[in-house]
Amino acid sequence: MAISYAWDVKTVDTKTIDSNADTVFNVHWRLTATDDTNTVSDGLGGTVNAAATVYGTQSLDTSDLSSFTAFADLTASDVQSWVEAAMGADKITEIKAGLDANIAELVTPTVQTKQVG
């Protein structure tokens, strides 16, 4: 499996902190993993690349705003780097492993739901 990961960190909570308007203090994130090798049924007679998504929120440390970036100047890359730093590498690795496992289950199911009679 060749899996790629894409962050969506566009939705944020803001407030004024120390006269810095629209300070981002909480991020609503989504991480999607897509397998570019394996496909699964789309339920409509076609196939799509196997994918899995997880979402959550991440609080950000706003105790030091010495390198404050105005909201109008923020990029998704900025926010993603803050989320990744706040989560830490181990947590991100754990989340990605879970997504990988979900995709593996989609591609080669170990459990099937059936009806009797």
Side-chain angles (χ1 to χ4, degrees), residues 63-108:
S63 62
D64 178 7
L65 297 177
S66 59
S67 60
F68 179 77
T69 303
F71 188 82
D73 296 330
L74 285 181
T75 66
S77 179
D78 294 331
V79 178
Q80 179 181 333
S81 69
W82 297 343
V83 168
E84 290 180 357
M87 285 182 169
D90 289 346
K91 182 65 176 175
I92 293 169
T93 298
E94 178 184 319
I95 290 169
K96 287 181 177 180
L99 289 169
D100 294 352
N102 289 347
I103 288 174
E105 182 65 26
L106 286 172
V107 173
T108 310

Side-chain angles (χ1 to χ4, degrees), residues 16-103:
T16 299
I17 300 175
D18 297 334
S19 74
N20 294 303
D22 292 328
T23 301
V24 176
F25 69 94
N26 194 50
V27 179
H28 302 266
W29 59 267
R30 181 179 307 269
L31 183 59
T32 300
T34 304
D35 181 343
D36 66 3
T37 304
N38 293 295
T39 59
V40 295
S41 171
D42 66 2
L44 303 172
T47 60
V48 294
N49 288 86
T53 300
V54 64
Y55 61 91
T57 57
Q58 180 61 52
S59 296
L60 302 177
D61 179 5
T62 58
S63 62
D64 178 7
L65 297 177
S66 59
S67 60
F68 179 77
T69 303
F71 188 82
D73 296 330
L74 285 181
T75 66
S77 179
D78 294 331
V79 178
Q80 179 181 333
S81 69
W82 297 343
V83 168
E84 290 180 357
M87 285 182 169
D90 289 346
K91 182 65 176 175
I92 293 169
T93 298
E94 178 184 319
I95 290 169
K96 287 181 177 180
L99 289 169
D100 294 352
N102 289 347
I103 288 174

